[in-house]
Amino acid sequence: MTSLQVPALSEAGTALCLVCILLVPLSGAGLAIINTGLGRSRSAAHSMLASLCVVAVAALVYFICGFAFQGYLGRPAHILTLAGKGWSWIAAGPLFLQGLKLDGSPDSLAAWLQILSVGLAALIPLGSGADRWRLPAICASTALLAGVTYPVFAHWVWGGGWLAQLGANYGLGRGFVDAGGGSSIQAVGGLTALSIAWIVGPRRGKYSPDGMPTAIPGHNAVQVLLGCVLTLVGWLGLNSAGAILFTGIAPTGTVLVAVNTALSASVAALAAVMITRMRFGKPDASLVANGWVSGLVASSAGCASVTPAAAVFIGLVAGVLITFSVELLEARLAVDDPGGAVSVHAAAGIWGVLALGFVASSGAAGQWLAQLVGIATLLGFVLPLTYGLNWLLDRFLPQRAPLEGERLGMDVYELGASAYPEFVTHTEEFIPR
Amino acid sequence: MTSLQVPALSEAGTALCLVCILLVPLSGAGLAIINTGLGRSRSAAHSMLASLCVVAVAALVYFICGFAFQGYLGRPAHILTLAGKGWSWIAAGPLFLQGLKLDGSPDSLAAWLQILSVGLAALIPLGSGADRWRLPAICASTALLAGVTYPVFAHWVWGGGWLAQLGANYGLGRGFVDAGGGSSIQAVGGLTALSIAWIVGPRRGKYSPDGMPTAIPGHNAVQVLLGCVLTLVGWLGLNSAGAILFTGIAPTGTVLVAVNTALSASVAALAAVMITRMRFGKPDASLVANGWVSGLVASSAGCASVTPAAAVFIGLVAGVLITFSVELLEARLAVDDPGGAVSVHAAAGIWGVLALGFVASSGAAGQWLAQLVGIATLLGFVLPLTYGLNWLLDRFLPQRAPLEGERLGMDVYELGASAYPEFVTHTEEFIPR
Amino acid sequence: MTSLQVPALSEAGTALCLVCILLVPLSGAGLAIINTGLGRSRSAAHSMLASLCVVAVAALVYFICGFAFQGYLGRPAHILTLAGKGWSWIAAGPLFLQGLKLDGSPDSLAAWLQILSVGLAALIPLGSGADRWRLPAICASTALLAGVTYPVFAHWVWGGGWLAQLGANYGLGRGFVDAGGGSSIQAVGGLTALSIAWIVGPRRGKYSPDGMPTAIPGHNAVQVLLGCVLTLVGWLGLNSAGAILFTGIAPTGTVLVAVNTALSASVAALAAVMITRMRFGKPDASLVANGWVSGLVASSAGCASVTPAAAVFIGLVAGVLITFSVELLEARLAVDDPGGAVSVHAAAGIWGVLALGFVASSGAAGQWLAQLVGIATLLGFVLPLTYGLNWLLDRFLPQRAPLEGERLGMDVYELGASAYPEFVTHTEEFIPR
């Protein structure tokens, strides 16, 4: 119920929230270089250029129509009365942010945060589509995400929509709660990444004829691990701003948010070190990086409502979870996800959302049920929607590069130039066939 | 007229402004790695070391005498009465920031912002002088920029000087307006970059004997595109702080500034993707990076006084403009500007200043004329001044490295060590003669 | 005496402090890529992974028990009465931050800042142990630093301990003063780095049989210099937050802190350029990077209590000092410190602490003596303690990799994969024997 009120922000609270949002693009920078570093050198420029395009398209489309569909608490929306209760299904704002005064009001802050965070969601599928996803399709797919999938689900969570109303209407805790976007940013992005991995299929040479996966190592581990720290800084901003705007905590209470975020990432990375060391004999740098990010992802939903000790627990599970999830997807389900995007963002995001239902310190009755309804909506509605949209897109604009593109590398094939023209590389040996 | 008042900042407003300034060095980091990535691998350490030196020299010289010449609204200045009006030509503050209490007052914030932003201006010519500009000359040229050119022009714009007075004295809108430094930082830096490109001349091998330009690709596209995101974060801080200090907007109104900045960059990058794809068949990663930065540059002047839709328009034109401007300079005017600094910073900066005159939402009468006077001053006074100073410097301290320096690479020639000593590179093939 | 009071922060002051802390991980990112860039390519992934682990272990251990031992002004501590005065030796807080409300109170901000800054201290020894320090030992050593050495000394400085009480109890100025952690973060980290360098010994091939050192250049100068700028941004946050929390300045007074920090780094880098140019004929990029960071380090202690001109002086001495200190350690004392960690963090940190005693603008009587007592404590207590702990650790968990590890590189030896698998490198020639 409290979750359905617009926060009353002092000038200092507004300033704090605004500055936190300014840090969010560092998450994008981090995810972009993680994705790129985990990919091949001959697709590196393509991966970075695609990241820039994705961020740009997402911001533009969200500005054009995304916020109109998403809205914010107290703004106009389409209400449908079901079972005697009014449910909000989609916002009914004007296009182009018209009529929204960008003066520091909570709704202007929400719009500005989303212009950036929708780009974050759209960066996620670049991880799973690396080395074979075509740039025109990337841009179009991003437009669908930023214009349809993201705003619709985010309206339900953050815009006063039906998931948020589960508390007031049905007494399920405070309704579906997600402070930093574990569902609306991470899981939406991660499920889109899964759709893309399905649609474009595995990289040539990833699976032997009898279906055994081959390891294709990332081309720059330093970049991947630098990305982790940049991602942390951005996430501290993201979770803090989200907690202020979407759960209504006092702005200075974001100390808790920040501590939880940092601890969750730390423990998740250490868990990945331990697990990979136990299982493979040596820690695996790329899985540790994935573990770190999964800790950030898992922290998002509950960052404002759990204790630091609970955040440690959430991070621990996330770090363990993704090492198995990555292997499950790659070896059993034949999903070739070079960046681990599905595990890191969808699995850990959903875990974080679920964990909030059980360990939130407020402990509102029925909270866990509200969280489960949200997860069911992600799997039962968002996944089919985003898969369907991208499948449809694939009919008109083929998403996967032809064989020649993979052979040449996406850099030369789509951009006409390689990322590192002066360095001598030996990339062919990674392609057995 | 309102532009000639010192803003009255609350403690929260001061805090917001202060933190925004802390982000500005990320712009510098971004520009530095963009410049370096667009240059050759054998000048990469030189380019980064020069960036650090430039930032350091600029901060030091500006601290010593720059702020004394630039001043701020309400601080002592030399006034000349012309046509019955008092015009402020140059500030008359003490050296070494003496007497300035660094306690969060608007003038202390202005001084602190400039200590960083003058470094930003000084980084710009590194893009055009890449691969052949000598370090001692770089440092000396930076001292001239930070001690003379920048403070004089910035006094006129931001220090209550005659350009800012055009509103109060002649009724030209609110006088020359530039919130984020499209003129005083970007165009001043960009015109200095043009002077340096003229003085040092093209790289060996850039033009064939019949004057045809050869493409010399940058050595690290990933770095270039990472730089774009870092630049965005710094620019969000720069434009926000500038808008508060130099146009007097309410601090929480920087939401508009931030949205405009992000949208302008996004659209400019997408415009560059489109144009290069249409013209060359494939998008060009380095032109897209240049497009992105040109969108940031163009957004600066008007970030606080245009609508988001106008910011989209400004970015769109900037992105299209620089793809042609880069080609014009390279192919027609024989200006070898490896980093695209002249187009990105001078052309887009001037475009942003001009655009403000026509699309500013306040729409003060005569604003466009004030902006044109500012542009005329840039072209008619700043360009000759900065060219003259650097030409003079060249008499005493040769700016261009000798042939041997270019052959060896600036790293080995001036630093005695290469940037990547363990990597195998093949750089010679880019030098046809 | 004023130094022994908990600051009374307004909401705006709390917000400012909180956001400054959010920037601190950028220092960590900077130090990590500086260390990595100054090391060999075949230990690059190891260096970055170790950085991530160090940050994670430090945060976790500090959360578990570090803050309980460190405490903060006004929190419970063990008091011992000596010579008629009560002295605080160690804090007596509960484990796991229990009972600490993370709501923006000064003690919650102090805890949050330290969760990050203890990681900064723990990153420092990675510089001296590069290319041969084993990951399990790194993690264990970090736990000792974060759980014992750091909190004990930091309690004395920042937690109301006996060093801080020297003012109130013995009239030595305001007691030992260190705003940004020149002693508690930098010197503690730097002295630990010295201990590690002693314990693991020089890299194979570093010294010829007759004891002459060989230059082993870092593998990526661009990364090193990019790290410098990131470090600056984080340091601006660190010094500002420390000055607010540990010296009680007004939050908006952090403009002075920021200006001092930037000027000190700038001048130190330029001093290193000058000195290396005079001595070796050409500026040395890695020493300039070290100079820049040493300027940041030296600025920390006095950032809130010296004038900008004094900050320039402090930076100048720091930049000169470390060029000689690096050589002294390498050539005379046979300490192989690839990252220059001992000089940059211990020597410059101690210099900054000392300088505060003589040039602080408040000029409290006896301040210099309080500072000297602090330095004596660092050398006479912290160094033996950290050496002893790491020596002991070495008995149980060998710190140095075996010969094979060095020959293969730490990446392949400990992680099973190299950082740059697609790039052709020639690393063997750097190993003469």
Side-chain angles (χ1 to χ4, degrees):
Chain A
M1 312 163 192
T2 53
S3 65
L4 284 175
Q5 291 182 353
V6 179
L9 295 177
S10 67
E11 193 191 0
T14 305
L16 176 60
C17 187
L18 184 46
V19 175
C20 286
I21 299 173
L22 298 188
L23 298 177
V24 172
L26 291 175
S27 287
L31 291 185
I33 63 174
I34 291 174
N35 281 341
T36 302
L38 289 174
R40 311 284 310 276
S41 72
R42 54 191 192 165
S43 304
H46 186 267
S47 169
M48 290 300 292
L49 184 68
S51 300
L52 213 61
C53 289
V54 151
V55 167
V57 169
L60 187 63
V61 171
Y62 191 83
F63 160 70
I64 294 173
C65 67
F67 189 69
F69 299 153
Q70 178 175 344
Y72 188 64
L73 301 166
R75 294 177 64 83
H78 295 288
I79 310 288
L80 199 68
T81 303
L82 268 184
K85 309 275 187 182
W87 302 92
S88 173
W89 291 99
I90 193 162
L95 302 182
F96 298 102
L97 304 186
Q98 276 172 332
L100 177 67
K101 279 182 76 88
L102 297 169
D103 60 355
S105 63
D107 41 5
S108 71
L109 291 169
W112 164 226
L113 171 59
Q114 313 283 313
I115 285 176
L116 299 175
S117 65
V118 71
L120 221 53
L123 281 169
I124 295 168
L126 288 180
S128 70
D131 297 329
R132 63 209 187 283
W133 196 14
R134 291 177 61 236
L135 189 58
I138 290 172
C139 292
S141 175
T142 297
L144 294 172
L145 182 71
V148 181
T149 320
Y150 181 100
V152 167
F153 186 76
H155 172 71
W156 298 348
V157 178
W158 286 341
W162 71 272
L163 282 170
Q165 290 173 308
L166 286 172
N169 280 359
Y170 271 154
L172 299 186
R174 298 186 294 139
F176 182 76
V177 170
D178 182 348
S183 61
S184 46
I185 301 173
Q186 307 304 327
V188 166
L191 294 174
T192 304
L194 179 60
S195 307
I196 294 298
W198 277 333
I199 289 168
V200 300
R203 286 171 288 179
R204 191 168 65 95
K206 178 65 192 176
Y207 293 97
S208 66
D210 54 341
M212 289 296 294
T214 312
I216 302 184
H219 85 285
N220 191 330
V222 172
Q223 195 167 302
V224 171
L225 292 157
L226 170 61
C228 290
V229 190
L230 294 183
T231 309
L232 168 66
V233 180
W235 229 273
L236 292 172
L238 172 66
N239 279 354
S240 299
I244 294 171
L245 293 172
F246 303 126
T247 68
I249 67 163
T252 54
T254 52
V255 176
L256 173 67
V257 171
V259 169
N260 283 349
T261 305
L263 287 178
S264 182
S266 298
V267 174
L270 295 176
V273 169
M274 293 294 185
I275 297 283
T276 55
R277 189 151 192 252
M278 277 173 7
R279 297 188 60 209
F280 315 133
K282 293 175 198 278
D284 182 285
S286 60
L287 280 173
V288 173
N290 277 341
W292 174 274
V293 180
S294 76
L296 293 173
V297 168
S299 78
S300 282
C303 58
S305 36
V306 305
T307 61
V312 166
F313 171 71
I314 290 174
L316 180 68
V317 174
V320 173
L321 177 71
I322 67 107
T323 59
F324 290 97
S325 168
V326 162
E327 190 177 344
L328 179 76
L329 282 164
E330 176 174 310
R332 302 291 170 83
L333 305 179
V335 172
D336 182 15
D337 177 1
V342 180
S343 302
V344 169
H345 297 275
I350 289 173
W351 156 243
V353 166
L354 181 69
L356 164 67
F358 293 95
V359 303
S361 43
S362 72
Q367 186 65 50
W368 62 273
L369 195 53
Q371 301 303 100
L372 278 181
V373 172
I375 293 170
T377 309
L378 281 169
L379 298 177
F381 176 81
V382 172
L383 179 58
L385 174 66
T386 191
Y387 181 84
L389 287 173
N390 278 293
W391 180 88
L392 212 64
L393 175 63
D394 195 39
R395 303 299 100 184
F396 298 98
L397 194 62
Q399 305 235 26
R400 174 152 187 162
L403 209 68
E404 191 201 352
E406 268 191 278
R407 200 178 49 73
L408 289 172
M410 297 301 283
D411 285 359
V412 168
Y413 181 69
E414 284 214 312
L415 308 181
S418 73
Y420 313 107
E422 301 189 19
F423 292 93
V424 179
T425 56
H426 46 79
T427 64
E428 278 316 308
E429 68 198 52
F430 292 105
I431 299 294
R433 286 153 298 133
Chain B
M1 313 165 191
T2 54
S3 66
L4 283 174
Q5 292 183 353
V6 178
L9 295 177
S10 68
E11 193 190 1
T14 305
L16 175 60
C17 187
L18 184 46
V19 175
C20 285
I21 299 174
L22 299 188
L23 298 177
V24 172
L26 291 176
S27 287
L31 291 185
I33 62 175
I34 290 173
N35 281 341
T36 302
L38 289 174
R40 312 284 310 275
S41 72
R42 53 193 193 164
S43 302
H46 186 269
S47 170
M48 289 301 291
L49 184 68
S51 301
L52 212 61
C53 289
V54 151
V55 166
V57 168
L60 187 64
V61 170
Y62 191 84
F63 160 69
I64 294 173
C65 67
F67 188 69
F69 299 152
Q70 178 175 343
Y72 187 62
L73 300 169
R75 294 179 63 84
H78 296 287
I79 310 287
L80 198 68
T81 303
L82 266 184
K85 309 275 187 181
W87 302 92
S88 173
W89 292 100
I90 192 163
L95 302 180
F96 299 102
L97 303 187
Q98 276 172 332
L100 177 68
K101 280 182 75 89
L102 297 168
D103 60 355
S105 62
D107 41 6
S108 72
L109 291 170
W112 164 226
L113 171 59
Q114 313 282 312
I115 285 176
L116 298 176
S117 64
V118 70
L120 222 54
L123 280 169
I124 295 168
L126 288 179
S128 70
D131 296 329
R132 61 209 188 283
W133 195 15
R134 291 178 59 238
L135 189 59
I138 289 171
C139 292
S141 175
T142 297
L144 293 173
L145 182 72
V148 181
T149 319
Y150 181 100
V152 167
F153 187 76
H155 172 70
W156 299 348
V157 179
W158 286 341
W162 71 272
L163 283 170
Q165 291 172 307
L166 286 173
N169 280 0
Y170 272 154
L172 300 186
R174 298 185 295 140
F176 182 76
V177 170
D178 182 348
S183 61
S184 46
I185 300 174
Q186 307 304 326
V188 166
L191 294 174
T192 304
L194 178 59
S195 307
I196 294 299
W198 276 332
I199 289 169
V200 300
R203 288 170 286 179
R204 191 166 64 94
K206 177 65 192 175
Y207 292 97
S208 66
D210 55 340
M212 289 297 293
T214 313
I216 303 184
H219 84 285
N220 191 330
V222 172
Q223 196 167 301
V224 170
L225 293 157
L226 171 62
C228 290
V229 191
L230 295 183
T231 308
L232 168 67
V233 179
W235 228 273
L236 292 172
L238 172 66
N239 279 354
S240 298
I244 294 171
L245 293 172
F246 303 127
T247 68
I249 66 163
T252 52
T254 53
V255 176
L256 173 68
V257 171
V259 168
N260 283 347
T261 306
L263 286 179
S264 182
S266 297
V267 175
L270 294 177
V273 169
M274 293 293 185
I275 297 284
T276 55
R277 189 151 193 255
M278 276 170 13
R279 298 189 59 208
F280 315 133
K282 293 175 199 273
D284 181 286
S286 60
L287 280 173
V288 173
N290 278 341
W292 173 276
V293 180
S294 77
L296 293 173
V297 167
S299 77
S300 282
C303 57
S305 35
V306 305
T307 61
V312 166
F313 171 71
I314 291 174
L316 180 68
V317 174
V320 173
L321 179 69
I322 66 108
T323 59
F324 290 97
S325 168
V326 161
E327 191 177 345
L328 178 78
L329 283 164
E330 177 174 307
R332 302 289 169 85
L333 306 178
V335 172
D336 182 15
D337 177 1
V342 180
S343 302
V344 170
H345 298 276
I350 289 174
W351 156 242
V353 166
L354 181 70
L356 164 66
F358 292 95
V359 302
S361 42
S362 72
Q367 186 64 50
W368 63 273
L369 195 53
Q371 301 303 102
L372 277 182
V373 173
I375 293 169
T377 309
L378 282 169
L379 298 177
F381 177 81
V382 171
L383 178 58
L385 174 66
T386 192
Y387 182 84
L389 288 172
N390 278 293
W391 181 88
L392 212 66
L393 175 63
D394 195 40
R395 303 300 100 182
F396 298 99
L397 195 63
Q399 304 235 28
R400 173 150 187 167
L403 209 67
E404 192 200 351
E406 268 190 279
R407 202 179 48 74
L408 288 172
M410 298 300 284
D411 285 358
V412 169
Y413 181 69
E414 284 214 311
L415 308 181
S418 72
Y420 313 107
E422 301 189 18
F423 292 92
V424 180
T425 56
H426 46 81
T427 65
E428 280 315 310
E429 69 198 50
F430 292 105
I431 300 296
R433 285 152 299 134
Chain C
M1 314 169 190
T2 52
S3 65
L4 284 173
Q5 291 182 353
V6 178
L9 295 178
S10 67
E11 194 191 0
T14 304
L16 175 60
C17 187
L18 184 46
V19 175
C20 286
I21 299 174
L22 298 189
L23 298 177
V24 172
L26 291 176
S27 287
L31 291 185
I33 62 174
I34 291 174
N35 281 341
T36 303
L38 289 173
R40 312 284 309 275
S41 72
R42 54 195 193 161
S43 303
H46 186 267
S47 170
M48 289 301 292
L49 184 67
S51 301
L52 211 62
C53 289
V54 151
V55 167
V57 168
L60 186 63
V61 170
Y62 191 84
F63 160 70
I64 294 174
C65 67
F67 189 71
F69 298 153
Q70 178 175 342
Y72 188 63
L73 301 167
R75 293 178 64 84
H78 296 287
I79 310 288
L80 198 69
T81 304
L82 267 184
K85 308 276 187 181
W87 301 93
S88 173
W89 292 100
I90 193 163
L95 301 181
F96 298 101
L97 302 187
Q98 276 172 333
L100 177 69
K101 279 182 74 88
L102 296 169
D103 60 356
S105 62
D107 42 5
S108 72
L109 291 170
W112 164 226
L113 172 59
Q114 313 281 312
I115 285 176
L116 299 175
S117 64
V118 71
L120 221 53
L123 281 170
I124 296 169
L126 288 180
S128 70
D131 296 329
R132 61 209 189 283
W133 195 14
R134 291 178 60 238
L135 189 60
I138 289 172
C139 291
S141 176
T142 297
L144 293 172
L145 182 72
V148 181
T149 320
Y150 181 100
V152 167
F153 186 77
H155 173 70
W156 299 348
V157 178
W158 286 342
W162 70 273
L163 283 171
Q165 290 173 308
L166 286 173
N169 280 0
Y170 271 153
L172 300 186
R174 299 186 295 139
F176 182 77
V177 170
D178 183 347
S183 61
S184 45
I185 300 173
Q186 307 304 326
V188 165
L191 294 173
T192 303
L194 179 59
S195 308
I196 294 298
W198 277 333
I199 289 168
V200 301
R203 286 170 288 179
R204 191 167 64 94
K206 177 66 192 175
Y207 293 98
S208 67
D210 55 341
M212 288 296 294
T214 313
I216 303 185
H219 85 285
N220 190 331
V222 172
Q223 195 167 301
V224 171
L225 293 157
L226 171 62
C228 290
V229 191
L230 294 183
T231 309
L232 169 65
V233 180
W235 229 273
L236 292 172
L238 172 66
N239 280 354
S240 298
I244 294 171
L245 293 172
F246 304 127
T247 68
I249 67 163
T252 53
T254 51
V255 177
L256 173 68
V257 171
V259 169
N260 283 348
T261 305
L263 286 178
S264 183
S266 297
V267 175
L270 295 176
V273 169
M274 292 294 186
I275 297 283
T276 54
R277 189 149 193 254
M278 277 171 12
R279 297 188 61 209
F280 314 132
K282 293 176 199 277
D284 181 287
S286 61
L287 280 173
V288 173
N290 277 342
W292 173 275
V293 180
S294 77
L296 293 172
V297 167
S299 77
S300 283
C303 59
S305 36
V306 305
T307 61
V312 166
F313 171 71
I314 290 174
L316 180 67
V317 174
V320 174
L321 179 70
I322 66 108
T323 60
F324 290 97
S325 167
V326 161
E327 190 178 347
L328 178 77
L329 283 164
E330 176 174 310
R332 302 290 169 83
L333 305 179
V335 172
D336 182 16
D337 177 1
V342 181
S343 302
V344 170
H345 298 275
I350 289 173
W351 156 243
V353 166
L354 182 69
L356 164 66
F358 293 94
V359 303
S361 44
S362 71
Q367 185 65 49
W368 62 274
L369 195 52
Q371 301 303 102
L372 278 181
V373 173
I375 293 170
T377 308
L378 281 169
L379 299 178
F381 177 80
V382 171
L383 179 58
L385 174 66
T386 191
Y387 182 84
L389 288 173
N390 278 292
W391 181 88
L392 213 67
L393 176 62
D394 196 38
R395 303 300 100 182
F396 299 98
L397 193 61
Q399 305 234 28
R400 173 152 187 163
L403 208 67
E404 192 201 351
E406 269 190 277
R407 200 177 50 72
L408 288 172
M410 298 300 283
D411 284 0
V412 168
Y413 181 70
E414 284 213 312
L415 307 182
S418 72
Y420 312 107
E422 300 189 18
F423 292 92
V424 179
T425 56
H426 47 80
T427 64
E428 279 315 308
E429 68 198 50
F430 291 105
I431 300 296
R433 285 151 302 134

